[in-house]
Amino acid sequence: MRKDESIQLNRVAAMWTVAAVRGRFPDAKLGGVEATEQGFYCDVDVSRPLTEVDVAAIEAEARRLLERDGAEPDYRQIDRADALRLFERRNEPWRAEWARELAPEGALTCIELGGSVDVYAGEPPRVAPGVPAFKLLHAAGAYWRGDSANPVLQRIAGVAFAERAELNDYLAWQEEARQRDHRKLGKQLELFLFAEEAPGMPFYLPNGAIVRNELETLSRAYLRKYGYEEVRTPMMMERGLWEQSGHWEHYRDNMYFSEMERRSLAVKPMNCPGHMLMFKHKLRSYKELPIRYAEFGQVHRHEFSGALNGLLRVRTFCQDDAHVFVAPDQIASEALRAIELVKEVYAVFGFEYSLELSTRPADSMGSDEQWAEAEAALERVLKAAGLPYRVNPGDGAFYGPKIDFHIKDALRRSHQCATIQLDFQMPEKFGLTYVDERNERRTPIVIHRAVYGSIDRFLGILIEHYAGAFPLWLAPVQAIVIPVADRHAAYAEEVRERLVDAGIRAEADARNEKLGLKVRDAQLRKIPYVAVVGDREMEAGLLQVRERGQERQSALGVSDFIAAAAGRIRRREA
């Protein structure tokens, strides 16, 4: 199905939803309505928050109206003044505000369906959408126009398809996504928690800290391979520094501030300015370039509470940040090195990815000439790398264009993680220089580079990608030894100690519980290896080992098991 047909199907489903809301809540007033290829939502002003029961009843009413009146809407073009009069006559203040202030320039279309009337931006469709198979997914509060100073409306979200089979496939995908939800699995696997005392700021439990540390260990191995030096910068720095860097002008609404000895300080949202000061602290020669600084820096950024989403959207996170200071003739080679680094790290996880070249945004700093040079340089790098990419106009950083990596998880969802950004602006703002081969002062260029992006967000993606069943090298507990009876507990503990001495994260479960219950608990914890020991194993120095996801057990000598498991861990195999 073409994109425009899919959008029209979702728009028709949204209209029937609005008609059903008005049928059940006669005083309801319509706010925003949005239909895309991925689904639809409608914001309504009703007397109380909508419950799951309300959503089910609205969906049933929408289906009844659809069956009674059919699915062919009446479309006609309308000018802005007529749209405004329509909404004012129907006492629709939110839609009137949309027509008066928010509607983009261009054609407007009036759509009438089953007594429900609305106006949207764009021309009437060229095709009849047919009868949609649709489903209302949920309702939640949403600020009008996304502004917390405005009233909260009720947002009803749904999705529509041309065929029932497509809808069923989508709902099955949604259910799989719910089962993989990192917030649910994070609690089940005791990885992290959130508390009201620090909203939007994760607390990592021992299991979660192990996984994070493994991710950092992996990253550090590649930092060494690619010649980076690890640094650390302060959590708070003077406001003037952020004014100098450009963050104050472009980013201050997302920053946190404090006062000390009558000096205004800002909690860092990024590591860049600190690395600029490190470069500047002494005279530099061209022979030192490139200089590669890397930092696992904890940063803080203000997010509205409604935007928070587990580890995927938080107020503090660890950025695996790096800044490479280069001379102009080193841009291509260092950007290519950064691409190779990202490719190697993502290969460990088996991620597929696509690339985007994001160009100058409207809110940016620097000259047209610098931006043109920077964008052309990154385009040459992508072509030299032989990687397919698409251009994402206007989505660059405020200081420079960037190459973004979008990884695809097990459910084929796309996540933007790694980034390589080219910056001519910040070195100039900080007055950075190096002495070239002619003994003249030159301004370096900076390549901003991240692989995970946010380690916290990357961990959330991994939890959902693996459905909590981490590969062996990354699993918080890699093996558990379960004695059949109390008399086998000492042997189980002896085996556990041998595993730990070999570098394997292992536990022994000697609880006074039935064997089946302990095995089931280990499976729920998604531990890669479950080793059971009884009389025969104790006498022969064996383990009955079952690997996660497999039914059959294998009798292995302890030394043989250790060699096999340790080898897989060392090679970072699944």
Side-chain angles (χ1 to χ4, degrees), residues 169-182 184-185 410-411 413 463-468:
D169 287 345
Y170 174 82
L171 295 176
W173 180 89
Q174 285 284 99
E175 179 57 31
E176 177 66 17
R178 277 191 288 272
Q179 294 302 317
R180 291 172 177 261
D181 189 316
H182 76 282
K184 170 179 174 287
L185 290 169
L411 294 181
R413 297 171 299 189
I463 293 169
E464 298 190 356
H465 178 65
Y466 294 123

Side-chain angles (χ1 to χ4, degrees), residues 480-492:
I480 188 165
V481 187
I482 302 177
V484 173
D486 289 346
R487 63 181 181 275
H488 310 121
Y491 177 61

Side-chain angles (χ1 to χ4, degrees), residues 242-313:
W242 304 101
E243 292 174 337
Q244 185 178 4
S245 69
H247 289 89
W248 178 260
E249 179 182 355
H250 298 273
Y251 213 76
R252 66 177 177 269
D253 291 341
N254 295 94
M255 296 171 66
Y256 294 105
F257 301 95
S258 183
E259 296 287 332
M260 183 178 67
E261 298 176 348
R262 299 183 180 179
R263 299 167 73 183
S264 179
L265 303 176
V267 181
K268 68 175 179 181
M270 299 177 186
N271 299 311
C272 327
H275 293 189
M276 303 297 148
L277 294 183
M278 285 184 164
F279 182 93
K280 192 177 181 179
H281 89 280
K282 68 177 185 178
L283 184 65
R284 303 286 184 176
S285 164
Y286 74 96
K287 296 178 181 179
E288 297 177 69
L289 303 184
I291 292 174
R292 308 180 187 98
Y293 288 151
E295 180 172 7
F296 295 97
Q298 196 70 23
V299 298
H300 291 71
R301 300 180 185 179
H302 176 66
E303 299 281 357
F304 288 116
S305 57
L308 300 175
N309 179 16
L311 297 179
L312 302 183
R313 183 66 72 88

